[in-house]
Protein backbone atom coordinates (compact mmCIF):
# COMPACT_ATOMS: atom_id res chain seq x y z
CA UNK A 1 0.00 0.00 0.00
CA UNK A 2 2.79 2.39 0.95
CA UNK A 3 4.45 1.76 -2.42
CA UNK A 4 1.33 2.74 -4.37
CA UNK A 5 0.88 5.80 -2.19
CA UNK A 6 4.52 6.84 -2.60
CA UNK A 7 4.50 6.37 -6.36
CA UNK A 8 1.22 8.28 -6.72
CA UNK A 9 2.64 11.19 -4.73
CA UNK A 10 5.85 11.08 -6.80
CA UNK A 11 3.87 11.15 -10.04
CA UNK A 12 1.75 14.03 -8.78
CA UNK A 13 4.84 16.02 -7.76
CA UNK A 14 6.52 15.23 -11.11
CA UNK A 15 3.43 16.38 -13.01
CA UNK A 16 3.05 19.50 -10.89
CA UNK A 17 6.76 20.18 -11.37
CA UNK A 18 6.24 20.76 -15.10
CA UNK A 19 2.83 22.40 -14.97
CA UNK A 20 2.01 24.46 -11.88
CA UNK A 21 5.33 24.76 -10.09
CA UNK A 22 7.20 26.64 -12.86
CA UNK A 23 5.08 29.62 -11.78
CA UNK A 24 6.72 29.40 -8.34
CA UNK A 25 10.10 31.08 -8.44
CA UNK A 26 12.17 31.33 -5.30
CA UNK A 27 15.68 32.75 -5.75
CA UNK A 28 15.21 32.21 -9.48
CA UNK A 29 14.61 28.46 -9.23
CA UNK A 30 11.67 26.12 -8.77
CA UNK A 31 11.75 23.65 -5.87
CA UNK A 32 12.11 20.02 -6.90
CA UNK A 33 9.39 18.33 -4.86
CA UNK A 34 10.06 14.87 -6.30
CA UNK A 35 13.59 14.98 -4.96
CA UNK A 36 12.44 16.39 -1.61
CA UNK A 37 9.81 13.68 -1.31
CA UNK A 38 12.25 10.91 -2.25
CA UNK A 39 14.83 12.19 0.24
CA UNK A 40 12.29 12.49 3.09
CA UNK A 41 10.93 9.04 2.23
CA UNK A 42 14.40 7.52 2.32
CA UNK A 43 15.09 9.07 5.73
CA UNK A 44 11.71 8.36 7.33
CA UNK A 45 10.96 4.92 5.94
CA UNK A 46 12.87 1.66 5.92
CA UNK A 47 15.72 0.97 3.57
CA UNK A 48 13.75 -1.83 1.87
CA UNK A 49 11.04 0.64 0.89
CA UNK A 50 13.52 3.32 -0.15
CA UNK A 51 15.41 0.92 -2.42
CA UNK A 52 12.29 0.57 -4.57
CA UNK A 53 10.52 3.91 -4.22
CA UNK A 54 13.47 6.29 -4.70
CA UNK A 55 14.59 5.02 -8.15
CA UNK A 56 11.00 4.79 -9.36
CA UNK A 57 10.39 8.38 -8.24
CA UNK A 58 13.43 9.34 -10.32
CA UNK A 59 12.04 7.46 -13.29
CA UNK A 60 8.68 9.25 -12.99
CA UNK A 61 10.48 12.58 -12.83
CA UNK A 62 12.42 11.75 -15.99
CA UNK A 63 9.25 10.82 -17.84
CA UNK A 64 7.64 14.14 -16.93
CA UNK A 65 10.60 16.30 -17.98
CA UNK A 66 12.70 16.48 -21.13
CA UNK A 67 15.75 14.95 -19.45
CA UNK A 68 16.98 11.65 -20.89
CA UNK A 69 15.18 8.80 -19.13
CA UNK A 70 17.57 7.46 -16.48
CA UNK A 71 19.08 10.80 -15.45
CA UNK A 72 17.14 11.10 -12.22
CA UNK A 73 17.25 7.34 -11.75
CA UNK A 74 21.02 7.81 -11.38
CA UNK A 75 20.69 11.20 -9.71
CA UNK A 76 18.44 9.94 -6.93
CA UNK A 77 20.62 6.94 -6.05
CA UNK A 78 22.79 8.95 -3.62
CA UNK A 79 19.65 9.75 -1.61
CA UNK A 80 19.39 6.14 -0.42
CA UNK A 81 23.06 6.02 0.52
CA UNK A 82 22.87 9.34 2.35
CA UNK A 83 19.70 8.28 4.17
CA UNK A 84 21.37 5.01 5.21
CA UNK A 85 24.25 7.05 6.61
CA UNK A 86 21.84 9.10 8.74
CA UNK A 87 20.32 5.90 10.18
CA UNK A 88 23.67 5.02 11.70
CA UNK A 89 23.45 7.81 14.25
CA UNK A 90 20.80 8.14 16.92
CA UNK A 91 18.84 11.39 16.83
CA UNK A 92 15.69 12.58 18.56
CA UNK A 93 14.21 13.96 15.38
CA UNK A 94 14.77 12.92 11.81
CA UNK A 95 14.12 16.42 10.51
CA UNK A 96 17.70 17.67 10.53
CA UNK A 97 19.00 14.50 8.79
CA UNK A 98 16.18 14.83 6.24
CA UNK A 99 17.15 18.41 5.44
CA UNK A 100 20.80 17.38 5.21
CA UNK A 101 19.90 14.56 2.81
CA UNK A 102 17.76 16.93 0.72
CA UNK A 103 20.59 19.48 0.49
CA UNK A 104 23.33 16.96 -0.29
CA UNK A 105 21.04 14.98 -2.57
CA UNK A 106 20.16 18.12 -4.56
CA UNK A 107 23.84 18.85 -5.11
CA UNK A 108 24.53 15.21 -6.12
CA UNK A 109 21.51 15.16 -8.45
CA UNK A 110 22.60 18.42 -10.08
CA UNK A 111 26.15 17.10 -10.57
CA UNK A 112 24.88 13.87 -12.15
CA UNK A 113 22.38 15.80 -14.32
CA UNK A 114 25.13 18.12 -15.59
CA UNK A 115 27.34 15.11 -16.36
CA UNK A 116 24.56 13.34 -18.28
CA UNK A 117 23.58 16.50 -20.17
CA UNK A 118 27.19 17.20 -21.15
CA UNK A 119 27.68 13.59 -22.27
CA UNK A 120 24.50 13.79 -24.36
CA UNK A 121 25.75 16.91 -26.13
CA UNK A 122 24.02 19.69 -24.19
CA UNK A 123 25.71 23.02 -23.71
CA UNK A 124 26.22 23.80 -20.01
CA UNK A 125 28.03 26.85 -18.64
CA UNK A 126 29.41 25.35 -15.44
CA UNK A 127 30.02 28.59 -13.57
CA UNK A 128 26.55 29.95 -14.23
CA UNK A 129 24.94 26.57 -13.57
CA UNK A 130 26.63 26.36 -10.17
CA UNK A 131 25.84 29.92 -9.08
CA UNK A 132 22.46 30.39 -10.73
CA UNK A 133 20.96 26.91 -10.36
CA UNK A 134 22.75 24.47 -8.07
CA UNK A 135 23.39 26.69 -5.04
CA UNK A 136 19.94 28.37 -5.00
CA UNK A 137 18.23 25.04 -5.64
CA UNK A 138 20.08 23.40 -2.76
CA UNK A 139 18.92 26.19 -0.46
CA UNK A 140 15.33 26.29 -1.76
CA UNK A 141 14.89 22.51 -1.64
CA UNK A 142 16.18 22.50 1.95
CA UNK A 143 13.67 25.20 2.91
CA UNK A 144 10.77 23.40 1.24
CA UNK A 145 11.77 20.10 2.88
CA UNK A 146 9.75 21.07 5.96
CA UNK A 147 6.52 21.18 3.92
CA UNK A 148 7.00 17.61 2.72
CA UNK A 149 8.63 16.23 5.86
CA UNK A 150 5.87 17.20 8.25
CA UNK A 151 2.95 15.29 6.63
CA UNK A 152 5.22 12.33 5.96
CA UNK A 153 6.23 12.15 9.60
CA UNK A 154 2.56 11.60 10.50
CA UNK A 155 2.48 8.31 8.62
CA UNK A 156 2.38 5.42 11.14
CA UNK A 157 5.78 4.49 12.40
CA UNK A 158 5.61 0.83 11.30
CA UNK A 159 8.29 0.35 8.76
CA UNK A 160 10.29 3.34 9.93
CA UNK A 161 14.06 2.79 10.02
CA UNK A 162 15.43 1.23 13.14
CA UNK A 163 17.77 3.76 14.71
CA UNK A 164 20.97 2.19 15.86
CA UNK A 165 21.55 3.82 19.21
CA UNK A 166 24.55 3.52 21.47
CA UNK A 167 22.53 1.49 24.00
CA UNK A 168 21.36 -1.02 21.41
CA UNK A 169 24.88 -1.37 20.07
CA UNK A 170 26.15 -2.06 23.59
CA UNK B 1 26.67 -5.66 0.38
CA UNK B 2 23.02 -5.50 -0.64
CA UNK B 3 23.33 -1.74 -1.07
CA UNK B 4 26.32 -2.21 -3.38
CA UNK B 5 24.38 -4.63 -5.57
CA UNK B 6 21.42 -2.27 -5.61
CA UNK B 7 23.65 0.64 -6.60
CA UNK B 8 25.25 -1.38 -9.39
CA UNK B 9 21.82 -2.41 -10.69
CA UNK B 10 20.45 1.14 -10.59
CA UNK B 11 23.54 2.45 -12.38
CA UNK B 12 23.27 -0.21 -15.06
CA UNK B 13 19.56 0.42 -15.62
CA UNK B 14 20.12 4.19 -15.57
CA UNK B 15 22.93 4.10 -18.14
CA UNK B 16 21.03 1.72 -20.43
CA UNK B 17 17.94 3.95 -20.14
CA UNK B 18 19.93 7.05 -21.08
CA UNK B 19 21.37 5.33 -24.15
CA UNK B 20 17.94 4.03 -25.20
CA UNK B 21 16.40 7.45 -24.55
CA UNK B 22 18.98 9.18 -26.72
CA UNK B 23 18.34 6.67 -29.51
CA UNK B 24 14.62 7.38 -29.33
CA UNK B 25 13.72 3.84 -28.30
CA UNK B 26 11.86 5.11 -25.23
CA UNK B 27 9.83 7.71 -27.16
CA UNK B 28 6.61 5.61 -27.02
CA UNK B 29 6.99 5.38 -23.24
CA UNK B 30 7.45 9.14 -22.96
CA UNK B 31 4.49 9.72 -25.26
CA UNK B 32 2.39 7.43 -23.07
CA UNK B 33 3.54 9.25 -19.96
CA UNK B 34 2.63 12.66 -21.42
CA UNK B 35 -0.72 11.29 -22.62
CA UNK B 36 -1.51 10.16 -19.09
CA UNK B 37 -0.31 13.32 -17.39
CA UNK B 38 -1.41 16.00 -19.87
CA UNK B 39 -5.03 16.32 -18.56
CA UNK B 40 -3.74 16.76 -15.01
CA UNK B 41 -1.02 19.15 -16.21
CA UNK B 42 -3.58 21.28 -18.04
CA UNK B 43 -5.77 21.49 -14.95
CA UNK B 44 -2.84 22.36 -12.73
CA UNK B 45 -1.62 25.05 -15.14
CA UNK B 46 -5.11 26.53 -15.36
CA UNK B 47 -5.24 26.55 -11.57
CA UNK B 48 -1.78 28.01 -11.01
CA UNK B 49 -1.84 30.70 -13.68
CA UNK B 50 -4.49 33.00 -12.11
CA UNK B 51 -2.95 32.59 -8.66
CA UNK B 52 0.42 33.55 -10.10
CA UNK B 53 -1.12 36.53 -11.87
CA UNK B 54 -2.70 37.76 -8.64
CA UNK B 55 0.59 37.56 -6.74
CA UNK B 56 2.48 39.15 -9.61
CA UNK B 57 -0.09 41.94 -9.76
CA UNK B 58 0.35 42.63 -6.04
CA UNK B 59 4.13 42.54 -6.06
CA UNK B 60 4.55 44.48 -9.31
CA UNK B 61 1.77 47.03 -8.78
CA UNK B 62 4.17 50.00 -8.83
CA UNK B 63 5.95 48.76 -11.93
CA UNK B 64 2.67 48.08 -13.73
CA UNK B 65 1.63 51.74 -13.74
CA UNK B 66 4.99 52.79 -15.17
CA UNK B 67 4.89 49.95 -17.67
CA UNK B 68 1.38 50.96 -18.72
CA UNK B 69 2.52 54.52 -19.47
CA UNK B 70 5.56 53.28 -21.33
CA UNK B 71 3.47 50.85 -23.38
CA UNK B 72 1.01 53.60 -24.31
CA UNK B 73 3.89 55.70 -25.63
CA UNK B 74 5.29 52.71 -27.48
CA UNK B 75 1.88 51.98 -28.96
CA UNK B 76 1.63 55.48 -30.37
CA UNK B 77 5.09 55.23 -31.86
CA UNK B 78 4.33 51.79 -33.28
CA UNK B 79 1.13 53.02 -34.92
CA UNK B 80 3.16 55.62 -36.79
CA UNK B 81 5.73 52.96 -37.75
CA UNK B 82 2.98 50.59 -38.85
CA UNK B 83 1.54 53.17 -41.20
CA UNK B 84 4.99 53.76 -42.69
CA UNK B 85 5.66 50.05 -43.01
CA UNK B 86 2.35 49.34 -44.71
CA UNK B 87 3.40 51.79 -47.39
CA UNK B 88 6.82 50.16 -47.61
CA UNK B 89 5.34 46.65 -47.86
CA UNK B 90 3.04 47.73 -50.63
CA UNK B 91 5.97 49.27 -52.47
CA UNK B 92 8.10 46.14 -52.03
CA UNK B 93 5.28 43.98 -53.34
CA UNK B 94 4.92 46.19 -56.41
CA UNK B 95 8.68 46.04 -57.03
CA UNK B 96 8.77 42.26 -56.51
CA UNK B 97 5.94 41.83 -58.97
CA UNK B 98 7.65 44.12 -61.46
CA UNK B 99 10.99 42.31 -61.16
CA UNK B 100 9.57 38.79 -60.86
CA UNK B 101 11.36 38.20 -57.57
CA UNK B 102 10.13 35.29 -55.44
CA UNK B 103 8.85 36.38 -52.06
CA UNK B 104 11.16 35.38 -49.24
CA UNK B 105 8.22 34.43 -47.00
CA UNK B 106 4.99 33.58 -48.70
CA UNK B 107 1.88 32.97 -46.60
CA UNK B 108 2.83 31.24 -43.36
CA UNK B 109 0.96 28.06 -42.52
CA UNK B 110 0.60 27.89 -38.79
CA UNK B 111 -0.75 25.26 -36.45
CA UNK B 112 -1.86 26.26 -32.96
CA UNK B 113 -0.73 24.11 -30.04
CA UNK B 114 -1.37 24.25 -26.32
CA UNK B 115 1.50 24.37 -23.87
CA UNK B 116 1.05 21.53 -21.40
CA UNK B 117 4.34 21.49 -19.51
CA UNK B 118 7.48 23.47 -18.88
CA UNK B 119 10.94 22.20 -18.08
CA UNK B 120 12.81 25.12 -16.61
CA UNK B 121 13.76 23.68 -13.25
CA UNK B 122 17.30 22.91 -14.20
CA UNK B 123 19.73 23.64 -16.94
CA UNK B 124 17.33 23.81 -19.86
CA UNK B 125 14.47 25.98 -21.04
CA UNK B 126 11.86 23.85 -22.79
CA UNK B 127 8.10 23.64 -23.06
CA UNK B 128 5.93 20.69 -24.06
CA UNK B 129 3.11 21.14 -26.58
CA UNK B 130 0.16 18.89 -27.38
CA UNK B 131 1.01 18.31 -31.05
CA UNK B 132 3.43 15.72 -32.41
CA UNK B 133 4.50 13.72 -35.42
CA UNK B 134 0.95 12.55 -36.06
CA UNK B 135 -0.04 16.20 -36.53
CA UNK B 136 2.60 16.79 -39.20
CA UNK B 137 5.24 18.28 -36.92
CA UNK B 138 8.91 17.49 -37.26
CA UNK B 139 12.06 18.09 -35.28
CA UNK B 140 13.56 21.52 -35.99
CA UNK B 141 10.32 23.23 -36.96
CA UNK B 142 10.01 26.83 -35.88
CA UNK B 143 7.60 27.79 -33.09
CA UNK B 144 6.14 31.29 -32.70
CA UNK B 145 4.17 33.09 -30.06
CA UNK B 146 0.57 34.13 -30.71
CA UNK B 147 1.82 37.56 -31.76
CA UNK B 148 4.23 35.99 -34.26
CA UNK B 149 7.58 36.45 -32.55
CA UNK B 150 10.06 33.60 -32.36
CA UNK B 151 10.00 31.46 -29.24
CA UNK B 152 11.97 28.37 -30.24
CA UNK B 153 12.23 25.18 -32.26
CA UNK B 154 11.01 21.64 -31.78
CA UNK B 155 13.82 19.63 -30.22
CA UNK B 156 12.19 16.36 -29.16
CA UNK B 157 9.18 14.89 -30.88
CA UNK B 158 6.86 12.01 -30.04
CA UNK B 159 3.69 10.79 -31.71
CA UNK B 160 1.31 13.22 -29.96
CA UNK B 161 3.59 15.63 -28.13
CA UNK B 162 6.74 17.64 -28.66
CA UNK B 163 9.29 19.50 -26.54
CA UNK B 164 10.13 22.97 -27.83
CA UNK B 165 13.58 24.38 -27.09
CA UNK B 166 13.06 28.03 -26.18
CA UNK B 167 15.34 30.76 -27.52
CA UNK B 168 16.61 31.26 -23.96
CA UNK B 169 17.89 27.67 -23.73
CA UNK B 170 21.70 27.45 -23.61
CA UNK B 171 21.64 25.16 -26.66
CA UNK B 172 19.73 27.66 -28.80
CA UNK B 173 21.78 29.51 -31.44
CA UNK B 174 20.14 31.76 -34.04
CA UNK B 175 21.67 33.76 -36.87
CA UNK B 176 20.23 37.18 -36.22
CA UNK B 177 20.39 40.72 -37.45
CA UNK B 178 19.78 43.99 -35.71
CA UNK B 179 17.67 46.52 -37.48
CA UNK B 180 19.62 49.54 -36.38
CA UNK B 181 17.50 52.64 -35.97
CA UNK B 182 18.43 55.22 -38.59
CA UNK B 183 20.66 58.07 -37.57
CA UNK B 184 19.19 61.50 -36.94
CA UNK B 185 19.61 63.26 -40.28
CA UNK B 186 21.68 66.41 -40.49
CA UNK B 187 20.26 69.65 -41.94
CA UNK B 188 21.59 68.81 -45.39
CA UNK B 189 19.66 65.54 -45.46
CA UNK B 190 16.29 67.25 -45.14
CA UNK B 191 14.36 66.98 -48.36
CA UNK B 192 10.94 66.25 -49.72
CA UNK B 193 10.02 62.56 -50.02
CA UNK B 194 10.69 61.19 -53.47
CA UNK B 195 7.99 58.53 -53.70
CA UNK B 196 4.66 60.31 -53.43
CA UNK B 197 3.19 61.62 -56.64
CA UNK B 198 2.82 65.36 -56.95
CA UNK B 199 -0.29 66.49 -55.18
CA UNK B 200 -2.50 68.49 -57.50
CA UNK B 201 -5.41 68.83 -55.16
CA UNK B 202 -6.40 71.94 -53.36
CA UNK B 203 -4.73 70.96 -50.11
CA UNK B 204 -1.47 72.74 -49.38
CA UNK B 205 1.73 70.80 -50.09
CA UNK B 206 3.25 68.96 -47.19
CA UNK B 207 6.18 70.55 -45.48
CA UNK B 208 9.59 68.94 -46.09
CA UNK B 209 10.07 65.82 -43.98
CA UNK B 210 13.42 64.34 -42.95
CA UNK B 211 14.33 61.24 -44.93
CA UNK B 212 15.55 58.32 -42.85
CA UNK B 213 19.04 57.34 -43.88
CA UNK B 214 19.11 53.71 -44.92
CA UNK B 215 21.35 51.55 -42.72
CA UNK B 216 22.72 48.08 -43.36
CA UNK B 217 21.40 45.53 -40.87
CA UNK B 218 24.03 44.37 -38.38
CA UNK B 219 24.51 40.61 -38.36
CA UNK B 220 25.22 38.69 -35.16
CA UNK B 221 24.45 35.43 -33.36
CA UNK B 222 21.74 35.18 -30.69
CA UNK B 223 22.54 32.55 -28.06
CA UNK B 224 20.43 31.37 -25.17
CA UNK B 225 21.90 31.84 -21.72
CA UNK B 226 20.73 30.76 -18.28
CA UNK B 227 21.81 34.03 -16.69
CA UNK B 228 20.90 36.70 -19.22
CA UNK B 229 18.18 35.04 -21.27
CA UNK B 230 19.43 35.79 -24.77
CA UNK B 231 22.89 37.05 -25.55
CA UNK B 232 23.66 38.69 -28.89
CA UNK B 233 27.25 37.81 -29.70
CA UNK B 234 29.70 38.65 -32.48
CA UNK B 235 28.37 42.17 -33.01
CA UNK B 236 30.96 44.17 -34.96
CA UNK B 237 32.69 46.65 -32.66
CA UNK B 238 31.92 49.56 -34.99
CA UNK B 239 28.18 48.83 -35.15
CA UNK B 240 25.88 51.47 -33.68
CA UNK B 241 23.54 49.17 -31.81
CA UNK B 242 21.56 50.85 -29.05
CA UNK B 243 18.91 49.90 -26.52
CA UNK B 244 15.54 49.36 -28.16
CA UNK B 245 16.83 48.23 -31.57
CA UNK B 246 14.85 45.29 -32.90
CA UNK B 247 16.55 41.92 -33.41
CA UNK B 248 15.17 39.58 -36.08
CA UNK B 249 16.29 36.32 -37.66
CA UNK B 250 18.65 36.83 -40.57
CA UNK B 251 17.69 33.63 -42.39
CA UNK B 252 21.35 32.62 -42.76
CA UNK B 253 21.94 28.91 -42.36
CA UNK B 254 18.40 28.12 -43.44
CA UNK B 255 17.18 26.96 -40.06
CA UNK B 256 14.90 29.96 -39.49
CA UNK B 257 12.94 32.04 -41.96
CA UNK B 258 14.16 35.57 -42.40
CA UNK B 259 12.62 38.46 -40.48
CA UNK B 260 11.10 36.71 -37.45
CA UNK B 261 11.14 39.01 -34.46
CA UNK B 262 13.34 37.75 -31.62
CA UNK B 263 13.26 40.76 -29.32
CA UNK B 264 14.85 44.11 -28.69
CA UNK B 265 18.24 45.18 -27.43
CA UNK B 266 18.21 45.68 -23.68
CA UNK B 267 21.85 46.34 -22.86
CA UNK B 268 25.01 46.66 -24.97
CA UNK B 269 28.28 45.51 -23.49
CA UNK B 270 31.14 47.40 -25.13
CA UNK B 271 34.74 46.77 -24.24
CA UNK B 272 37.56 48.84 -25.68
CA UNK B 273 39.95 46.92 -27.96
CA UNK B 274 37.55 43.97 -28.20
CA UNK B 275 36.87 42.91 -31.80
CA UNK B 276 33.19 42.26 -31.06
CA UNK B 277 30.49 43.64 -28.83
CA UNK B 278 27.84 41.65 -27.01
CA UNK B 279 24.32 42.68 -26.10
CA UNK B 280 21.46 41.33 -24.04
CA UNK B 281 18.13 40.83 -25.81
CA UNK B 282 14.75 41.18 -24.13
CA UNK B 283 12.58 38.53 -25.85
CA UNK B 284 9.54 39.92 -27.65
CA UNK B 285 7.34 37.09 -26.34
CA UNK B 286 6.66 36.55 -22.67
CA UNK B 287 8.31 33.14 -22.39
CA UNK B 288 7.27 32.51 -18.82
CA UNK B 289 3.52 32.55 -19.34
CA UNK B 290 2.93 30.81 -22.65
CA UNK B 291 -0.34 28.95 -23.04
CA UNK B 292 -0.77 28.75 -26.81
CA UNK B 293 1.95 28.72 -29.45
CA UNK B 294 2.01 28.52 -33.25
CA UNK B 295 4.09 26.01 -35.18
CA UNK B 296 5.25 27.15 -38.60
CA UNK B 297 4.62 24.03 -40.65
CA UNK B 298 5.35 25.20 -44.17
CA UNK B 299 8.93 26.19 -43.41
CA UNK B 300 11.36 23.28 -43.57
CA UNK B 301 14.63 23.97 -41.77
CA UNK B 302 17.79 23.33 -43.80
CA UNK B 303 18.92 20.56 -41.48
CA UNK B 304 15.74 18.61 -42.28
CA UNK B 305 15.84 18.92 -46.06
CA UNK B 306 19.61 18.56 -46.53
CA UNK B 307 20.73 15.02 -47.46
Amino acid sequence: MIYIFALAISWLFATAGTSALPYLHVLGVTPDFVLIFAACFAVLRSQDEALLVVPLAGLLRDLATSDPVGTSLLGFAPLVILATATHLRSMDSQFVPAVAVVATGTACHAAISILVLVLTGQNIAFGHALVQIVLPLTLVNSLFAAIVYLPMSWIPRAGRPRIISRSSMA
Amino acid sequence: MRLVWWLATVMAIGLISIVLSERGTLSPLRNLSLTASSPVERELRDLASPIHNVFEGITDRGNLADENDRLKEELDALRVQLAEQQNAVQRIKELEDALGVKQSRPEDLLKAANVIAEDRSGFKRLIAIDLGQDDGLDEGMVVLSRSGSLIGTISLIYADFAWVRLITDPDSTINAQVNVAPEEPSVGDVATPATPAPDTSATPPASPQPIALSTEPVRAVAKGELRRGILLDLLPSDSRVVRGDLVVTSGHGGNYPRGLLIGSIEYVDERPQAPFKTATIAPAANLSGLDTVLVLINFRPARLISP
Side-chain angles (χ1 to χ4, degrees), chain B residues 93-298:
Chain B
K93 195 171 180 312
E94 286 168 11
L95 289 169
E96 280 179 344
D97 289 345
L99 295 168
V101 177
K102 189 185 165 192
Q103 283 186 351
S104 57
R105 279 180 65 198
E107 289 298 306
D108 290 336
L109 282 177
L110 301 163
K111 211 163 220 182
N114 294 311
V115 176
I116 54 162
E118 295 180 44
D119 186 2
R120 34 177 102 230
S121 57
F123 313 100
K124 297 185 279 184
R125 298 286 181 267
L126 291 102
I127 54 168
I129 56 172
D130 62 353
L131 295 182
Q133 270 171 331
D134 292 352
D135 304 290
L137 270 56
D138 207 344
E139 206 171 302
M141 279 186 169
V142 175
V143 183
L144 311 174
S145 69
R146 277 191 296 192
S147 58
S149 57
L150 181 67
I151 62 162
T153 51
I154 293 174
S155 67
L156 288 169
I157 190 147
Y158 314 125
D160 305 308
F161 301 93
W163 281 100
V164 176
R165 187 181 302 286
L166 297 178
I167 50 179
T168 48
D169 184 271
D171 267 359
S172 165
T173 306
I174 308 159
N175 287 319
Q177 67 182 40
V178 187
N179 292 334
V180 178
E183 288 178 85
E184 286 296 320
S186 60
V187 177
D189 297 324
V190 176
T192 48
T195 45
D199 192 356
T200 54
S201 64
T203 51
S207 60
Q209 294 293 314
I211 295 173
L213 296 176
S214 62
T215 315
E216 282 290 310
V218 179
R219 306 224 190 275
V221 177
K223 296 175 179 172
E225 240 198 18
L226 289 175
R227 189 163 61 100
R228 289 194 272 184
I230 314 173
L231 180 76
L232 194 64
D233 202 3
L234 301 176
L235 273 169
S237 58
D238 58 347
S239 58
R240 278 188 290 272
V241 175
V242 292
R243 184 186 160 97
D245 284 345
L246 294 179
V247 185
V248 297
T249 52
S250 69
H252 286 191
N255 289 325
Y256 295 89
R258 189 179 175 183
L260 289 177
L261 181 64
I262 300 171
S264 58
I265 299 285
E266 195 172 48
Y267 172 76
V268 182
D269 186 11
E270 292 184 66
R271 289 179 190 167
Q273 312 297 329
F276 297 104
K277 291 193 244 191
T278 58
T280 309
I281 303 174
N286 178 14
L287 300 175
S288 61
L290 294 164
D291 49 4
T292 308
V293 295
L294 305 169
V295 185
L296 190 55
I297 54 169
N298 64 332

Side-chain angles (χ1 to χ4, degrees), chain A:
Chain A
M1 187 63 189
I2 189 71
Y3 294 110
I4 295 167
F5 170 76
L7 293 179
I9 294 290
S10 301
W11 177 79
L12 196 64
F13 276 146
T15 305
T18 55
S19 54
L21 289 174
Y23 290 106
L24 177 68
H25 285 279
V26 184
L27 299 176
V29 292
T30 303
D32 187 344
F33 278 102
V34 186
L35 187 145
I36 297 168
F37 173 76
C40 290
F41 189 92
V43 172
L44 287 168
R45 308 296 301 184
S46 70
Q47 194 188 64
D48 288 344
E49 289 170 347
L51 290 177
L52 186 69
V53 169
V54 171
L56 287 176
L59 186 69
L60 290 170
R61 187 190 182 281
D62 286 339
L63 288 172
T65 65
S66 63
D67 289 343
V69 178
T71 307
S72 295
L73 194 72
L74 290 178
F76 281 10
L79 295 176
V80 177
I81 297 161
L82 291 165
T84 305
T86 64
H87 295 164
L88 297 174
R89 190 177 174 86
S90 169
M91 294 192 89
D92 292 337
S93 164
Q94 293 288 76
F95 179 66
V96 175
V99 172
V101 171
V102 168
T104 320
T106 302
C108 291
H109 179 254
I112 291 167
S113 294
I114 289 174
L115 187 67
V116 170
L117 293 176
V118 168
L119 289 175
T120 53
Q122 306 272 333
N123 187 14
I124 302 279
F126 291 100
H128 294 163
L130 182 69
V131 177
Q132 303 290 321
I133 308 282
V134 180
L135 291 178
L137 192 61
T138 304
L139 187 63
V140 168
N141 279 353
S142 305
L143 292 172
F144 277 83
I147 296 172
V148 179
Y149 175 88
L150 201 62
M152 283 187 69
S153 63
W154 296 334
I155 297 170
R157 299 183 72 86
R160 289 274 195 87
R162 187 172 57 87
I163 295 170
I164 304 166
S165 63
R166 285 199 188 112
S167 56
S168 66
M169 285 173 83

